[in-house]
Amino acid sequence: MSRRLRRLPVLLLPLVLGTTLVACGSDSGSDGDDSSSSDALHGITITGDVGEAPKVKWDGKLDVSKTETTVVTEGDGDKVAEGDQVSANIWIGNGATQKQAYSTYDKGGKPESIPASAELNPVFKDAILGQTIGSRVAVTATAADAFGESGNPQMGIGNKDTVLMIVDLMSVTTVLDGPDGKEQKAPSWAPGLVTDADKVTGLDFSGTPKPNGKLRSAALIEGSGDKVKKGQNITVNYLGQVYDGKKPFDESYSGEPASFAIGVGQVVPGWDKTLVGATVGSRMILAIPPADGYGKKGNSQAGIKGTDTLYFVVDILAAS
């Protein structure tokens, strides 16, 4: 999702969405149990069960010049395919200092939600796409290949360091191609949708009454899936436009769907308040007053004033 809608930055965004990095080869293998030490791991030993924080025994400073991927434990679940939404625990170590740099297990084992798509950082891609759920996959790489020329100072990883990434694939959710459910009558307060084939390209405010300052939401298509719960990671396509605006200030239909946790403050309050309880497959229309959007300051980067009411169409494609 665009940072225009986020309240907080995403720590792993440079890792997961580093589309400008050069693709690297991989060397995959499996020993079928819960420990591994191989040539691709340069003497590093990884022990522990999938779903629990790994124990890592380093064999001195990690010195690598290319990216290598090793299946430490091979799971027996579904194979991850393009377009899936993967729930994964991630552990990252600095190969120069042999210290942990980041771990989702430090956050109570709450996995990251990762879209399995061509947008994945090439270093990360082989650890996700084509692997089976229940697997533990390790990647050794240079910091420059993993994070870009600057490394990742936020994690204490310099651009000349090396990294060890361990990915535990916990579950997978199939992402819908579009809304799936029963069409509903649009409410009188809602703008019309401008579409190109199956993509929403804008909102038409002709004849739409002025906003009344209230937070509003309605399903244009009532999804046939489960209800979205607070704290779940949801995957959506969306488009946002201010009332009577001539063009959208943000949208995802022309690119990849967005994924984020809902109901926990990662997005504007109006989304948290209206999308929790909606069903997967729904196409929602939202009217969000400033108090539930960006407040009196607005968002100058997006051209949103503090008095603007935001209108969104949101397609809920998955929840996990």
Side-chain angles (χ1 to χ4, degrees), residues 25-29 39-40 67-71 126:
S26 67
D27 180 16
S28 297
D39 291 343
T67 300
E68 295 176 288
T69 302
T70 304
V71 177
D126 283 349

Side-chain angles (χ1 to χ4, degrees), residues 12 26 35-36 40 52 75 90 144 170 175 180 198 203 218 234 241 266 285 288 291 306-307 309:
L12 288 179
S26 67
S35 67
S36 180
E52 297 179 358
I90 301 168
M170 307 306 297
V175 179
D180 180 23
D198 58 349
L203 300 176
I234 65 172
Q241 200 164 323
Q266 282 197 8
I285 187 74
I288 301 179
T307 55
T309 294

Side-chain angles (χ1 to χ4, degrees), residues 141-191:
T142 66
D145 281 348
F147 300 107
E149 294 181 359
S150 299
N152 194 318
Q154 205 172 3
M155 291 185 186
I157 297 175
N159 63 342
K160 300 298 183 182
D161 291 338
T162 54
V163 295
L164 168 67
M165 305 179 192
I166 300 171
V167 182
D168 287 354
L169 302 174
M170 307 306 297
S171 64
V172 65
T173 302
T174 299
V175 179
L176 299 173
D177 293 331
D180 180 23
K182 185 177 180 181
E183 191 168 345
Q184 307 291 312
K185 182 179 179 180
S188 60
W189 54 264

Side-chain angles (χ1 to χ4, degrees), residues 85 113 172-176 225-229 232-236 260 262 275 278-281 316-320:
Q85 190 73 20
S113 184
V172 65
T173 302
T174 299
V175 179
L176 299 173
D226 294 336
K227 286 186 176 181
V228 173
K229 298 177 182 178
Q232 281 190 309
N233 287 298
I234 65 172
T235 301
V236 304
F260 51 91
I262 193 68
L275 298 185
T279 52
V280 174
I316 305 175
L317 306 177
S320 61

Side-chain angles (χ1 to χ4, degrees), residues 57-79:
K57 183 178 179 181
W58 301 85
D59 186 23
K61 181 178 179 180
L62 176 62
D63 185 16
V64 298
S65 59
K66 64 178 181 178
T67 300
E68 295 176 288
T69 302
T70 304
V71 177
V72 178
T73 302
E74 187 169 6
D76 57 5
D78 294 335
K79 184 174 288 190

